[in-house]
Amino acid sequence: MFLRVYRKLVGEDMDTEMARRTLVLTVWLAREYGLSHTPREKPPMDALDVLEITQTALTTVEKNFQVGRYRIQTCFFIQGGFITANRPEALLKLRYRDIKVTVLRHPKNGPHNILLEWTYEFTKSFLGPKAPNTFPIPEILFDPSLVLSPHVFLLGLMFADDAFSIPGLTPERLFQLDIRPECNALDVPIREEMADLCIFRRYQKTATKRAMTNEQLPYHVLKAHMKDIGEITGFKDVARPYCLRYGAANAFDKDGNTSVDLRNLIMKHANTDVFLNHYLSRRITTDAQAVVRGLTPQEDIMQAACRMSRWIDPDRPRVLTPKQSQSVNQDPKIKMLLQQRDKIERKRSPEEYKKLQRSIRNERQALRYKLRARIRREYDKKQAKSDIERQLSGEKFAEKIKVDLGRSDYQTPQHQKLIESVMSLPGSSLSEEIKRRSSAIQAVAEYCQFEEGKISKNRSQIIRKSTKMQEAIDLDELALETAREELTRERRPLICFMCYGNEKLAIKDRTQRFTSSGNVTRHFRNRHLDKLEDGVSVNCEMCSIHLQGKMELQRHAFDVHGTVS
């Protein structure tokens, strides 16, 4: 990325000597600040992962989408990104001129098929313009799950926008269309004035409602939706839009009907090296043991071991409790900023006051983000230990029975209708299957017009439930961990290292935070140094070392723990 920026600004490639010095500097910076050279994890989503997250996006009431169309767009984005392996930006720029709906005659005299064709023009063009790819997506009749059906969601969006130029065309009548003899297809025309309208659009809040605009949905909005839905699903890894592309790329690579050249064409890769270096999963998906021993590979087990939903846990903490959220105010930097703000009069220095307010808000947000990440990491360790200990003691897990997703006190009637239609079972006959699919498309189209708004009662009940779950985390251990981080990270910590190392003290005494370094010094002298008799040795329990007398304790306190005495 740096080389690209340099080339763009300077107009030529970086010379060899400068590139070498840049690399040396990069290595030094990584070592100086303790940065890792390991690339970020790129977990691919397989079909089961996509089913899990799409179903959650469809049914959850923990996530408020404000408008129903956002929920539908999120589901369709997940489906489209996984099927076509396109980059998120290209998918978000999909317009009606890029979509074609055709009734296709079955070559073996079966029922007509609704064929969708998507053409992606806005692909990555760093190395120059690329020819667009067109993806024909045939309909899967008697699909066991319409949750993964792009036909249901895209056609629902199109009917919601009244995109077809044929008046009176409904989902049910679309499936009843026939093809003239001696012809093999019937195009379903789209209104010309809709050609440049994006499928993925944003809403605008007016004085009375939230109305959809003609503006493209920003990438950061969709990215936030996927991240939230992934956490609600229970994924351990962050569900990023690119996870869909990684998963599809690996699926195309394993498929025996997809050649390497076709895979590169789908992915828009100039050569195979791009896939090998950036897309091929570093988690070895082949059963190496079975291969070298000449046994039949356990493909199902290997696939289960390598998918994102392997670490799924719906009980994993997702939000901070009020107590945890308020704990960041005890951070020394926050205290310092608050003291600076209190010394400033808002009326006399409004700009400086606003700047400090912004700094406090940003620092709190960063600290809460780190705290939340640490709590999630600790949960995984503690929960595994707890599960094993419970089983060793003879306890058994209580069986959780999944309730009917179509019925919930938290869901609105419109939401319940959407869920019941999309999650219906396949029909026993062709007519029942057509009715099933047309009903689902109609429900999607109607829900696009629905405004979810604020589900205050439902959300508060869910958050309280989530809060109660998170209270089970051992807050004492969290306080100890936070105090230890401060003692090891800060140059002048506001916690006494001697008290922290004394396990006989109460947790609140071990983690007591003083208001200033001067108070720490006075406490250290009065509580520890003055009570130490001459010639008597003492231990620093935190560092697990033995110190000979007062002088050595004072030197250790200053050099290691930043405590002046």
Side-chain angles (χ1 to χ4, degrees):
M1 181 60 70
F2 176 76
L3 295 178
R4 292 181 182 178
V5 174
Y6 180 89
R7 187 187 298 117
K8 184 176 181 180
L9 294 176
V10 180
E12 59 183 17
D13 290 337
M14 185 181 295
D15 61 72
T16 306
E17 178 60 23
M18 183 177 289
R20 186 191 66 79
R21 286 186 292 170
T22 302
L23 179 61
V24 172
L25 179 61
T26 303
V27 173
W28 179 85
L29 288 172
R31 184 170 57 250
E32 181 72 14
Y33 292 96
L35 304 178
S36 173
H37 291 278
T38 305
R40 187 187 70 186
E41 188 74 19
K42 297 180 179 179
M45 282 189 181
D46 69 357
L48 184 60
D49 297 329
V50 173
L51 176 62
E52 290 279 0
I53 193 172
T54 309
Q55 184 169 290
T56 302
L58 178 71
T59 61
T60 185
V61 292
E62 292 187 53
K63 170 71 176 175
N64 185 6
F65 287 90
Q66 302 295 332
V67 291
R69 188 182 178 99
Y70 269 23
R71 186 185 295 271
I72 302 302
Q73 288 180 166
T74 302
C75 292
F76 177 58
F77 178 89
I78 296 172
Q79 297 166 348
F82 184 63
I83 293 172
T84 65
N86 255 296
R87 292 181 173 86
E89 296 84 353
L91 190 58
L92 289 176
K93 291 180 180 178
L94 193 67
R95 303 162 300 176
Y96 275 112
R97 69 164 65 251
D98 306 320
I99 294 175
K100 191 173 183 180
V101 181
T102 306
V103 181
L104 186 67
R105 189 185 299 278
H106 198 287
K108 296 184 178 180
N109 298 323
H112 295 336
N113 195 285
I114 304 296
L115 181 72
L116 301 179
E117 292 178 276
W118 308 337
T119 301
Y120 292 94
E121 295 184 7
F122 298 97
T123 55
K124 192 174 180 181
S125 57
F126 175 72
L127 297 177
K130 299 178 181 178
N133 283 347
T134 298
F135 290 83
I137 312 294
E139 183 183 23
I140 301 177
L141 290 175
F142 302 101
D143 193 340
S145 175
L146 295 181
V147 174
L148 295 182
S149 172
H151 289 70
V152 169
F153 287 86
L154 177 57
L155 290 174
L157 288 166
M158 296 179 74
F159 277 108
D161 288 336
D162 193 20
F164 296 108
S165 61
I166 309 299
L169 184 64
T170 63
E172 187 175 2
R173 291 184 176 181
L174 176 65
F175 286 97
Q176 296 173 353
L177 294 177
D178 201 357
I179 304 172
R180 283 190 299 113
E182 300 183 357
C183 294
N184 292 323
L186 172 66
D187 290 340
V188 184
I190 298 174
R191 290 193 291 149
E192 292 184 2
E193 59 269 27
M194 304 283 289
D196 293 323
L197 187 65
C198 289
I199 303 297
F200 298 94
R201 304 198 300 277
R202 68 187 307 173
Y203 75 81
Q204 185 177 20
K205 190 174 181 180
T206 64
T208 57
K209 64 177 183 178
R210 295 176 177 87
M212 298 304 300
T213 67
N214 294 337
E215 299 177 12
Q216 178 190 318
L217 183 71
Y219 174 64
H220 68 85
V221 175
L222 195 283
K223 184 178 179 181
H225 287 340
M226 274 201 66
K227 180 182 177 182
D228 292 343
I229 295 300
E231 290 184 354
I232 295 171
T233 305
F235 287 150
K236 180 180 179 180
D237 296 308
V238 178
R240 297 182 176 89
Y242 264 87
C243 293
L244 302 168
R245 181 169 166 85
Y246 298 143
N250 282 273
F252 289 134
D253 183 61
K254 295 176 183 177
D255 181 45
N257 297 321
T258 305
S259 64
V260 174
D261 292 335
L262 181 57
R263 185 203 65 204
N264 290 339
L265 177 65
I266 294 173
M267 301 297 296
K268 290 290 185 182
H269 289 165
N271 52 59
T272 305
D273 292 342
V274 181
F275 174 80
L276 295 177
N277 294 331
H278 302 287
Y279 288 87
L280 185 61
S281 177
R282 292 302 179 260
R283 182 176 289 273
I284 306 303
T285 57
T286 188
D287 190 351
Q289 176 184 220
V291 171
V292 298
R293 293 179 59 184
L295 304 175
T296 303
Q298 302 182 71
E299 295 182 359
D300 292 340
I301 294 295
M302 291 302 301
Q303 190 171 6
C306 298
R307 61 168 56 110
M308 284 183 67
S309 51
R310 165 185 171 179
W311 292 280
I312 199 169
D313 186 350
D315 294 334
R316 185 177 287 111
R318 197 171 69 85
V319 295
L320 295 176
T321 66
K323 186 175 181 180
Q324 292 167 346
S325 183
Q326 291 295 325
S327 66
V328 301
N329 291 327
Q330 302 302 319
D331 185 82
K333 189 172 182 179
I334 294 292
K335 286 187 173 183
M336 180 190 69
L337 291 172
L338 290 174
Q339 290 174 357
Q340 292 178 6
R341 187 194 64 180
D342 293 341
K343 294 178 181 178
I344 298 175
E345 294 185 16
R346 182 182 298 186
K347 294 183 179 180
R348 292 187 178 181
S349 305
E351 292 300 325
E352 189 175 356
Y353 189 88
K354 288 182 180 179
K355 184 178 179 181
L356 275 173
Q357 282 283 72
R358 185 164 54 251
S359 299
I360 293 171
R361 183 174 62 251
N362 293 342
E363 187 65 24
R364 280 174 173 166
Q365 185 176 357
L367 290 172
R368 285 169 181 152
Y369 179 83
K370 292 179 181 178
L371 176 60
R372 176 180 170 276
R374 185 168 69 248
I375 290 175
R376 286 171 65 87
R377 289 195 303 269
E378 291 175 354
Y379 169 85
D380 291 330
K381 297 178 182 178
K382 294 177 182 178
Q383 190 62 39
K385 182 179 178 182
S386 174
D387 290 346
I388 295 173
E389 289 176 346
R390 286 174 57 190
Q391 294 178 71
L392 293 178
S393 64
E395 292 186 38
K396 293 185 177 181
F397 296 120
E399 184 178 358
K400 291 186 177 181
I401 302 175
K402 287 188 176 181
V403 297
D404 181 9
L405 291 173
R407 297 291 178 188
S408 171
D409 294 336
Y410 302 138
Q411 293 161 352
T412 61
Q414 295 87 344
H415 195 188
Q416 289 180 358
K417 179 181 178 181
L418 172 70
I419 296 171
E420 290 174 354
S421 300
V422 175
M423 301 191 70
S424 58
L425 297 175
S428 57
S429 63
L430 180 60
S431 59
E432 289 186 4
E433 176 65 11
I434 290 176
K435 183 178 180 181
R436 171 202 182 206
R437 302 181 76 85
S438 59
S439 298
I441 294 172
Q442 185 63 36
V444 169
E446 292 175 359
Y447 197 77
C448 286
Q449 312 297 337
F450 176 64
E451 184 175 343
E452 292 187 357
K454 292 185 178 180
I455 318 175
S456 56
K457 179 181 177 181
N458 299 344
R459 286 179 64 82
S460 63
Q461 290 176 346
I462 293 170
I463 290 174
R464 282 199 297 270
K465 181 180 178 181
S466 178
T467 299
K468 184 178 179 181
M469 172 192 68
Q470 294 182 51
E471 288 290 349
I473 298 175
D474 192 341
L475 295 178
D476 288 344
E477 290 192 14
L478 177 61
L480 288 171
E481 179 65 21
T482 304
R484 185 175 185 85
E485 283 194 8
E486 179 176 338
L487 285 166
T488 55
R489 184 183 70 244
E490 299 295 335
R491 188 173 65 89
R492 297 291 299 276
L494 300 180
I495 298 174
C496 175
F497 70 95
M498 292 292 289
C499 291
Y500 176 86
N502 188 354
E503 296 182 355
K504 296 180 180 179
L505 295 176
I507 298 296
K508 64 176 183 178
D509 294 328
R510 294 179 63 188
T511 60
Q512 180 183 359
R513 183 174 280 102
F514 297 89
T515 56
S516 66
S517 56
N519 290 339
V520 178
T521 297
R522 283 190 291 272
H523 165 83
F524 178 69
R525 285 175 179 170
N526 298 335
R527 182 73 179 270
H528 304 289
L529 202 60
D530 292 345
K531 293 183 179 181
L532 185 64
E533 297 179 0
D534 294 333
V536 177
S537 61
V538 65
N539 293 329
C540 176
E541 300 295 341
M542 183 177 175
C543 300
S544 300
I545 61 173
H546 190 70
L547 304 170
Q548 296 290 342
K550 287 185 179 182
M551 293 294 292
E552 194 167 337
L553 174 60
Q554 286 179 287
R555 173 54 59 185
H556 175 78
F558 179 78
D559 292 343
V560 179
H561 301 290
T563 300
V564 180
S565 58

